Amino acid sequence: MVWIKRIILGILLFVLVGFLNYTLPSRDIVQIVGTDVKRMDVGRYAVFWASPDAGTNTNYTRDVRFINAVWPNGEPRVYRNEDTNWSWPPYLKFDSGNLNAKAQGLAKKEEAWVAISHYGWRIKLLSIFPNAYRIKQVEGPNVFLIPWFNIVFITSLLLIFLLIYRAMQRFKNRHVDPVTDQISEAVETVGEYTQSANSELNKKKSSINGFFRRWFGTTDRK
């Protein structure tokens, strides 16, 4: 049972960490080299894609904006640029067109480094891209940005889990443990009573057997 509990807790922790890693915002320091629009069929992996632009058709096959960038080491980095609207995750992004225009302007600048805020993963095998929702020009590729939102959010989440754990412990100590102790005492009492009854029964059985032995032994001698 201990190993089963550990396996279940490990799976739940893995799912929670993966969910937070996908949903919480991240920032990349890159250079934008261009933008693109592609016709995409997102029906198979729709969960990894945002909603269509506000006021457009909701079919799975649609035009998707992309922002092409490179890391400081020259490796490519591609982002999709989709509205999140009112859906999950709640970034309330309605300006993918404006963000695309801003990216085009920054692509024309030489040595323009930007911090692209996004969520999601880049999985080449499944053609999944992170969704960019903010672009901010920075001084250079070595700038350090503190993820204040993630720090506050994760700290708050840990505090909530701690409060829930303490509340469950108090409930267990006040309501569950007394009942468990009473059940254990009742089981022990029944066990002691059963043992005592068995002992008395064995004594009576031995007494009866002794009586018959003495009786039959006496008649034999007679």
Side-chain angles (χ1 to χ4, degrees):
M1 289 299 295
V2 175
W3 284 106
I4 293 176
K5 290 181 180 179
R6 290 179 179 177
I7 292 173
I8 293 175
L9 289 176
I11 293 174
L12 292 176
L13 182 61
F14 178 80
V15 172
L16 177 62
V17 171
F19 175 78
L20 293 177
N21 181 263
Y22 180 86
T23 306
L24 290 179
S26 300
R27 283 183 293 196
D28 299 336
I29 307 300
V30 295
Q31 273 188 315
I32 298 177
V33 296
T35 61
D36 197 3
V37 179
K38 294 182 179 180
R39 174 73 65 170
M40 302 291 296
D41 185 2
V42 300
R44 182 177 297 180
Y45 306 109
V47 66
F48 294 106
W49 295 78
S51 302
D53 292 349
T56 61
N57 196 356
T58 59
N59 292 332
Y60 286 122
T61 301
R62 61 177 184 265
D63 292 334
V64 180
R65 299 183 180 92
F66 288 91
I67 299 174
N68 305 318
V70 293
W71 292 104
N73 61 3
E75 291 293 324
R77 178 66 161 168
V78 181
Y79 307 87
R80 58 189 169 94
N81 179 19
E82 292 185 290
D83 288 346
T84 60
N85 298 330
W86 302 99
S87 62
W88 185 268
Y91 285 92
L92 303 179
K93 178 187 173 186
F94 299 92
D95 60 345
S96 59
N98 294 341
L99 193 68
N100 194 68
K102 186 174 183 180
Q104 290 175 348
L106 290 169
K108 297 178 181 179
K109 295 183 179 180
E110 295 183 1
E111 297 297 324
W113 293 94
V114 298
I116 297 184
S117 301
H118 65 87
Y119 71 90
W121 300 324
R122 175 67 173 108
I123 304 178
K124 297 179 181 179
L125 182 63
L126 305 179
S127 296
I128 294 172
F129 303 87
N131 190 15
Y133 65 91
R134 184 184 299 124
I135 298 176
K136 179 181 178 181
Q137 189 169 359
V138 295
E139 296 178 356
N142 298 321
V143 66
F144 178 73
L145 302 175
I146 301 175
W148 289 113
F149 178 84
N150 290 356
I151 293 173
V152 173
F153 181 85
I154 293 176
T155 302
S156 302
L157 191 64
L158 291 175
L159 290 176
I160 291 173
F161 282 152
L162 179 61
L163 292 175
I164 293 174
Y165 175 78
R166 292 188 62 182
M168 294 178 63
Q169 286 295 110
R170 290 177 181 176
F171 179 83
K172 178 177 177 294
N173 295 334
R174 293 180 180 179
H175 301 282
V176 178
D177 287 347
V179 175
T180 304
D181 293 339
Q182 291 177 3
I183 294 174
S184 298
E185 292 176 359
V187 171
E188 290 178 359
T189 302
V190 172
E192 293 175 357
Y193 176 78
T194 303
Q195 186 176 2
S196 177
N198 288 334
S199 179
E200 292 294 330
L201 182 61
N202 289 331
K203 288 181 181 179
K204 292 181 179 180
K205 183 178 179 181
S206 299
S207 177
I208 294 172
N209 290 336
F211 171 77
F212 280 106
R213 288 195 194 99
R214 290 192 299 272
W215 170 259
F216 285 111
T218 303
T219 45
D220 289 341
R221 288 194 296 272
K222 291 180 180 180

